[in-house]
């Protein structure tokens, strides 16, 4: 748990409120309310004390992807203005499972799974956040001691009718999809986070950030704070980033994500594959390029003054630089040009040992190059698989039954060196 550091007697200087609001509005969807945020920022300038901004992350998986960084970048905007951010690890709420946007109940995680996932989060978020200006807390600190009695009392502060105002709950109920009782607790315990943080001396909870799909949960926090006579938090939400497929929100489970810890070449290559229509939003939500410059690129793209490839290269360089540095960005771009523009093979690729005699349909799945046999069949039928540069289309084709190594290419960007070993 990070120490809460007071700035002492030194009076902090903050930019004018209108300048702060201009940055904080960038890419925002909901702001409840701008008037309240303005008052908090004016008070901050008058007292020389930063406001506290909270964002919660449930460690339901070990990886953060670029969709998560939209929110993390908004946290960084507050830091750039001199304010304090709290990275709240939802180690308690992750064991419930956030039902937001889900058509079915999430699998419940064990505490051991949650803590294992949480260990990887800090190293990833501090690629964007200032470690010295970030407070890390775990919500089990105040939620675990509630016990059964405390949870019952918390549940008694809300009605089923109000809970069913949530679109996803209402939709699941109307379509006869199961809603587990523990899911109904999630918005309440998330709101309880804000209440408890507001009571911590020297910390507080002035603003809560979240994805646009979290707006119901964040507003529950405002209501609970008002009920306890606390100054309610301002709620600011950001859009859900559309993933590589150009249709659905970025999600590892949908296979349309770029992970924060992906290698530089992978981040670069995946960025080059996004649909042209995503360029404006990705620049706005994933970079610090001024909005005016983004609009100018969009205009020049529309009239043909800029080629989409050049704009994607700029975006890819910026993203790789954020997570791996400028030198890695230059190397990734050179590698991309050599491999994908000149038809070459990357110098480095994963090596996978597979048993000889397996049909390609099975081999692609076991090598991790296709998520399922159906997807492997589709890739083969579409001519998207090549072995040592030769297109492979027969699902039942087999590689040599002796020691051998083959370069397998799937799609435009995925390579693996298959080390074939005799079975047994």
């Amino acid at each position: 748990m990070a120490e809460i550091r007071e700035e002492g007697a030194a009076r902090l200087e903050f930019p004018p409120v209108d300048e702060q609001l201009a940055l904080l509005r960038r890419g925002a969807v909901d702001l409840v309310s701008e008037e309240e945020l303005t008052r908090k920022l004016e008070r901050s300038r008058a007292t020389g004390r930063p406001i506290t901004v909270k964002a919660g992350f449930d460690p339901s998986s070990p990886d953060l992807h670029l969709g998560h960084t939209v929110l993390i970048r908004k946290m960084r905007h507050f830091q750039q203005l001199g304010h304090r951010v709290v990275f709240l690890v939802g180690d308690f709420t992750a064991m419930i499972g956030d039902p937001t946007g889900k058509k079915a109940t999430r699998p419940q995680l064990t505490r051991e799974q949650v803590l294992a996932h949480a260990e990887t989060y800090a190293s990833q978020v501090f690629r964007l956040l200032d470690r010295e200006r970030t407070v890390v807390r775990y919500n089990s600190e105040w939620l675990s001691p509630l016990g059964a009695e405390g949870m019952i009392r918390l549940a008694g502060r809300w009605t089923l009718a109000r809970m069913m105002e949530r679109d996803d709950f209402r939709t699941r109920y109307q379509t006869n999809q199961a809603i587990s009782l523990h899911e109904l607790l999630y918005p309440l315990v998330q709101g309880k986070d804000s209440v408890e943080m507001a009571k911590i001396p020297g910390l507080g909870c002035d603003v809560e950030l979240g994805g646009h799909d979290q707006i119901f949960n964040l507003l529950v926090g405002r209501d609970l704070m008002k009920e306890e006579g606390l100054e309610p938090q301002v709620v600011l939400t950001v859009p859900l980033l559309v993933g590589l497929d150009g249709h659905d929100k970025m999600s590892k489970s949908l296979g349309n994500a770029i992970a924060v810890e992906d290698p530089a070449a992978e981040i670069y290559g995946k960025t080059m594959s996004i649909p042209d229509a995503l360029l404006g939003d990705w620049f706005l939500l994933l970079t610090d390029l001024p909005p005016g410059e983004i609009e100018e690129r969009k205009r020049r793209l529309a009239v043909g003054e800029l080629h989409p490839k050049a704009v994607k290269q700029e975006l890819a360089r910026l993203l790789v630089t954020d997570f791996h540095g400028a030198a890695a960005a230059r190397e990734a771009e050179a590698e991309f040009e050599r491999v994908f523009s000149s038809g070459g093979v990357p110098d480095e690729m994963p090596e996978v040992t597979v048993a000889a005699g397996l049909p390609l349909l099975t081999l692609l799945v076991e090598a991790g190059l296709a998520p399922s046999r159906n997807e492997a069949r589709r890739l083969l039928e579409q001519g998207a698989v090549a072995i040592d540069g030769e297109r492979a289309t027969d699902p039942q084709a087999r590689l040599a039954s002796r020691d051998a190594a083959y370069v397998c290419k799937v799609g435009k960007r995925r390579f693996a060196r298959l080390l074939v070993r005799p079975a047994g």
Side-chain angles (χ1 to χ4, degrees), residues 91-357:
D91 57 327
F92 185 96
T93 43
M95 291 187 291
I96 297 176
D98 185 2
T100 301
K102 297 300 176 183
K103 297 179 181 179
T105 303
R106 281 179 180 268
Q108 287 183 268
L109 302 179
T110 66
R111 180 156 185 80
E112 291 70 24
Q113 288 174 310
V114 169
L115 293 178
H117 294 166
E119 286 182 4
T120 68
Y121 271 34
S123 63
Q124 296 175 60
V125 300
F126 289 130
R127 297 188 185 195
L128 290 176
L129 295 181
D130 180 348
R131 187 184 297 267
E132 294 302 311
R133 305 195 71 138
T134 305
V135 176
V136 179
R137 301 294 283 244
Y138 293 79
N139 65 6
S140 61
E141 175 185 345
W142 47 79
L143 293 178
S144 290
L146 277 178
E149 180 180 347
M151 196 64 72
I152 290 171
R153 292 187 181 280
L154 179 60
R157 298 173 64 176
W158 213 256
T159 67
L160 180 60
R162 294 184 70 184
M163 197 63 72
M164 294 303 289
E165 292 172 5
R166 270 184 55 147
D167 289 339
D168 45 11
F169 284 152
R170 186 170 60 252
T171 299
R172 284 165 63 182
Y173 180 77
Q174 292 172 345
T175 56
N176 295 317
Q177 299 294 315
I179 303 173
S180 295
L181 291 178
H182 75 281
E183 293 182 274
L184 300 176
L185 293 173
Y186 192 93
L188 288 171
V189 293
Q190 183 173 336
K192 182 69 169 174
D193 289 341
S194 299
V195 169
E196 294 304 317
M197 276 185 48
K199 296 177 180 178
I200 297 175
L203 189 60
C205 186
D206 296 300
V207 178
E208 183 170 14
L209 307 178
H212 176 56
D213 59 344
Q214 289 277 318
I215 183 65
F216 181 93
N217 295 359
L218 307 186
L219 293 177
V220 170
R222 276 178 61 89
D223 288 347
L224 292 181
M225 294 172 82
K226 290 176 183 177
E227 287 180 12
E228 298 210 13
L230 301 168
E231 181 179 286
Q233 64 188 12
V234 168
V235 167
L236 190 155
T237 70
V238 295
L240 304 179
L241 186 72
V242 176
L244 300 172
D245 56 7
H247 300 291
D248 298 312
K249 76 171 184 176
M250 184 171 285
S251 168
K252 184 179 178 182
S253 63
L254 295 177
N256 66 351
I258 299 177
V260 167
E261 293 196 324
D262 274 347
E266 190 79 1
I267 293 176
Y268 192 98
K270 287 181 177 179
T271 303
M272 293 298 293
S273 76
I274 68 172
D276 298 350
L278 296 184
L279 283 169
D281 284 346
W282 277 43
F283 266 109
L284 180 67
L285 301 175
L286 299 177
T287 79
D288 292 326
L289 200 67
E293 294 187 27
I294 296 173
E295 290 303 314
E296 177 64 12
R297 282 161 177 72
K298 290 167 64 176
R299 184 194 68 78
R300 295 181 64 192
L301 279 169
V303 299
E305 292 180 4
L306 277 178
H307 194 282
K309 180 183 176 183
V311 182
K312 289 180 187 178
Q313 286 176 314
E314 179 185 16
L315 176 61
R317 285 194 300 270
L318 290 172
L319 294 179
V320 175
T321 299
D322 268 343
F323 301 110
H324 294 283
R330 291 191 294 270
E331 291 175 6
E333 183 163 82
E335 177 81 349
F336 181 88
E337 288 299 311
R338 187 178 74 80
V339 174
F340 300 106
S341 298
S342 306
V345 174
D347 294 328
E348 297 184 5
M349 67 182 76
E351 293 187 348
V352 183
T353 300
V354 294

Side-chain angles (χ1 to χ4, degrees), residues 73-88:
R73 283 179 177 278
K74 187 55 64 179
M75 297 169 72
R76 187 166 76 172
H77 289 163
F78 278 95
Q79 286 189 330
Q80 290 169 343
L81 296 171
H83 301 296
R84 178 197 292 123
V85 302
V86 178
F87 186 87
L88 182 64

